[in-house]
Amino acid sequence: MSLSNTWTMSVAEGMARVVGDDVPIEFIAYDGSKAGTPGAPIRLDIRSPLALSHLASAPGELGLARAYVSGTLEVTGDMYTALAALPKIAVRELPLDLRWTVALRLLTARLRWPASPPPQEHRQRGERHSKNRYSAAVSHHYDVSNTFYEWLLGPSMAYTCAVFPTDNASLEEAQFAKHDLVARKLALRPGKRLLDVGCGWGGMVIHAAQHYGARALGVTLSKEQAEWASCKIAEYGLSDLAQVRYADYRDVLETNFDAVSSIGLTEHIGDAQLPGYFEFLYSKLRAEGRLLNHCITRPNSSYNVRVGPFINRYVFPDGELESPGRLVSLVQDTGFEVRHEENLREHYAMTLANWCTNLDDNWAKAVSEVGTGTARVWRLYMAASRLAFERNNIQLHQILAVKPDKYHSGMPLRPNWDPPKCTS
């Protein structure tokens, strides 16, 4: 294509050229133009020049997210399929004439139609990972709506990676297997005391009390989670064994627990605070007590510890992902003895696929409950996360450690915590 032709290129044609001619996506735009693959299962609709303005204000994933969340860019078809089809675009690798055309279009849109970030975008204030800022970050993500989360997560209300005993196990079976795997690794049984930090809606606390007779205490910084969990504990008649508090985990005064579980909390702690975090958990345990740390990680230490701009602004403010090696080293350096470690990333991809289906099945109700913008955030976030786990851009690691009693670990000679086979 000649340089003169690029100046008159339509919006849809420009998008198609940037993405690539062989990508099975149809593009339509507000100027009436169409390009790409006609009738493709995925269609990108650039509804307004404001979409280009968002891209100009924040090139890359943040600009695309702003355009989609604001509704100026629409994705018709399955979001996961759309993201999987889109290649990773490096502007410097585009032909020079196309780079000039794209830059001119974006600059014109930014100047003529300035766009503000959608209201769902969150910017943290105060000292990073301070108690107040940490509480605000947790509230932003979790105090959305318990009703919305019930539609999204299903009856288990477990917002962490499930463990699928078989390829065709249901989400509920897999979440039960996850809680049961944690309970077995921690050697829970009647009379044992469990502390679950960042307990969410109390799934692990309830499971430990209901199925193992353990005395379980959970803490969460989400008021809505604590209220929901407390009601469920009472409904199940477990109030004599289980409790969920609306509190910072650092404010737990009790000690001498037999076990501590941290399922999906470490991502929120922050790299600089991790030594103190593991020291605190160590101080809560009796000798020979066990720690199970379950969290999302980066694949290795070459990846940036901080999450990307979309996740940081819209989903997990101040989130930081450690490498598995750093986590194991920190746990060991604290005084724990690491006894078992495993990567469950494929299980998280499967978990997210189920959550995506739940959201699609309840889309109209979800929009009515939390608004279109917030529902769009979740649709984009979960599909992108599923893809990231599948492509090994992120992982999910469980680390089991023990607080040794001088030379004694109290651990069995061989692991005995295989999850039960699904019987339904």
Side-chain angles (χ1 to χ4, degrees), residues 47-157:
R47 290 178 162 180
S48 162
L50 289 174
L52 303 183
S53 182
H54 282 303
L55 290 172
S57 67
E61 70 172 61
L62 184 58
L64 284 168
R66 286 173 173 173
Y68 175 69
V69 173
S70 67
T72 59
L73 173 67
E74 183 59 280
V75 178
T76 301
D78 179 63
M79 178 62 76
Y80 165 79
T81 303
L83 295 177
L86 287 170
K88 188 173 183 179
I89 299 167
V91 175
R92 63 181 178 275
E93 295 177 2
L94 296 175
L96 182 60
D97 62 337
L98 185 57
R99 267 186 279 171
W100 276 106
T101 302
V102 170
L104 181 62
R105 283 289 178 87
L106 294 181
L107 178 61
T108 300
R110 183 65 175 157
L111 294 175
R112 293 185 62 185
W113 301 283
S116 299
Q120 289 76 22
E121 187 166 313
H122 179 78
R123 297 197 182 195
Q124 289 283 72
R125 299 288 185 266
E127 183 183 356
R128 188 175 178 87
H129 296 298
S130 64
K131 277 192 174 183
N132 287 340
R133 180 161 165 163
Y134 177 57
S135 179
V138 170
S139 179
H140 169 78
H141 187 69
Y142 295 103
D143 290 339
V144 177
S145 160
N146 283 337
T147 300
F148 171 77
Y149 277 110
E150 286 172 355
W151 292 326
L152 180 71
L153 305 177
S156 70
M157 286 294 276

Side-chain angles (χ1 to χ4, degrees), residues 331-382:
V331 171
Q332 288 277 143
D333 292 347
T334 302
F336 286 104
E337 182 182 347
V338 172
R339 301 297 303 224
H340 188 267
E341 199 280 344
E342 64 177 311
N343 181 6
L344 299 169
R345 73 173 178 87
E346 294 91 349
H347 292 263
Y348 217 153
M350 295 170 69
T351 304
L352 283 155
N354 277 271
W355 290 343
C356 289
T357 298
N358 286 347
L359 181 59
D360 288 344
D361 290 346
N362 293 282
W363 182 255
K365 293 189 294 184
V367 167
S368 177
E369 178 70 16
V370 301
T372 303
T374 298
R376 283 173 173 263
V377 167
W378 282 86
R379 184 185 183 215
L380 178 59
Y381 149 61
M382 292 194 303

Side-chain angles (χ1 to χ4, degrees), residues 231-309:
C231 289
K232 282 296 177 183
I233 288 169
E235 179 183 325
Y236 293 146
L238 298 171
S239 298
D240 59 332
L241 291 176
Q243 179 189 5
V244 167
R245 292 179 191 166
Y246 170 48
D248 191 295
Y249 75 92
R250 291 164 286 193
D251 294 331
V252 174
L253 300 179
E254 294 92 333
T255 59
N256 210 37
F257 287 93
D258 299 286
V260 172
S261 54
S262 175
I263 306 174
L265 176 61
T266 313
E267 302 92 326
H268 300 284
I269 300 299
D271 182 77
Q273 286 70 35
L274 279 176
Y277 164 72
F278 286 117
E279 288 170 6
F280 177 85
L281 301 184
Y282 186 90
S283 73
K284 297 290 109 177
L285 284 165
R286 64 164 176 82
E288 298 187 8
R290 299 185 190 184
L291 165 68
L292 189 290
N293 198 83
H294 166 124
C295 70
I296 301 170
T297 74
R298 48 189 172 139
N300 56 62
S301 57
S302 69
Y303 284 63
N304 192 338
V305 68
R306 296 192 177 185
V307 297

Side-chain angles (χ1 to χ4, degrees), residues 9 21 24 40 42 126 129 132 153 177 187-188 192 210 261 312 329 346 376 390 394 415:
M9 186 187 304
D21 296 331
I42 302 299
H129 296 298
N132 287 340
L153 305 177
L188 296 183
K192 292 289 186 178
Q210 189 173 46
S261 54
N312 186 56
S329 294
E346 294 91 349
R376 283 173 173 263
E390 288 180 349
I394 48 178

